[in-house]
């Protein structure tokens, strides 16, 4: 794959994004979390964000898809569920281990439902959540939630 450095992708679901260490690949493009992430704080949730994919956001791939990224602290063995909803685009969500850069989970919304991914965190530390749209360039509002007790 053009510009690919890292582990090979071992599993592919037809029409679904692929996960690999530190990257999630969408059809014909690469999804790479930006160096700077947006901050969110919500005491009852690990993350609760009303976001907006818009001009000026980080982009990825040859088709310049919009990307937002958020961070939270997690603990080894903690089970987290990420949910992204949007009325403006078909959301894609990915979870990355902030220490290793390894992709932990990803999901794409189907049939108007939210994109929901559940994962058991492999270690204590910082985690990054990336939100993108399947459509190009992908713009509009979205809601991300990661309950503290998920």
């Amino acid at each position: 794959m053009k510009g690919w450095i890292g582990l090979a992708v071992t599993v592919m679901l037809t029409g679904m994004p692929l996960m690999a260490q530190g990257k999630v690949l969408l059809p014909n493009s690469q999804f790479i979390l930006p160096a700077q992430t947006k901050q969110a704080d919500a005491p009852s949730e690990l993350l609760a964000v009303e976001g907006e994919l818009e001009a000026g956001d980080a982009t990825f791939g040859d088709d310049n898809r919009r990307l937002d990224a958020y961070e939270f602290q997690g603990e080894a063995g903690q089970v987290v569920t990420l949910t992204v909803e949007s009325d403006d685009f078909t959301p894609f969500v990915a979870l990355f281990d902030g220490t290793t850069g390894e992709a932990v989970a990803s999901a794409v919304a189907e049939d108007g439902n939210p994109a929901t991914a559940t994962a058991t965190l492999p270690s204590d530390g910082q985690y990054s959540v990336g939100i993108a749209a399947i459509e190009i360039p992908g713009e509009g509002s979205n809601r991300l939630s990661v309950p503290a007790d998920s």
Side-chain angles (χ1 to χ4, degrees):
M1 286 177 255
K2 182 178 179 183
W4 173 255
I5 298 174
L7 296 178
V9 176
T10 57
V11 178
M12 178 176 175
L13 299 175
T14 304
M16 297 290 289
L18 304 177
M19 288 191 338
Q21 183 173 344
K23 296 183 180 182
V24 175
L25 305 177
L26 294 173
N28 302 318
S29 64
Q30 290 187 354
F31 179 92
I32 304 171
L33 289 178
Q36 288 190 333
T37 56
K38 297 180 180 180
Q39 296 297 314
D41 43 20
S44 65
E45 297 187 90
L46 294 174
L47 280 176
V49 179
E50 293 284 331
E52 183 84 18
L53 290 178
E54 58 193 344
D57 282 349
T59 60
F60 67 97
D62 295 335
D63 48 15
N64 293 317
R65 292 174 193 261
R66 308 275 188 246
L67 166 69
D68 279 345
Y70 303 93
E71 295 180 335
F72 69 90
Q73 288 284 34
E75 299 176 2
Q78 183 177 12
V79 177
V80 296
T81 299
L82 296 76
T83 303
V84 178
E85 300 176 85
S86 177
D87 295 329
D88 299 325
F89 60 84
T90 304
F92 170 77
V93 63
L95 175 65
F96 296 89
D97 183 315
T99 303
T100 65
E102 183 176 335
V104 177
S106 70
V108 66
E110 294 183 28
D111 300 326
N113 294 313
T116 303
T118 300
T120 302
L121 302 182
S123 60
D124 292 350
Q126 194 78 14
Y127 287 83
S128 295
V129 177
I131 298 173
I134 297 302
E135 299 84 6
I136 301 169
E139 294 182 339
S141 63
N142 61 80
R143 293 161 302 287
L144 165 66
S145 66
V146 183
D149 60 351
S150 60

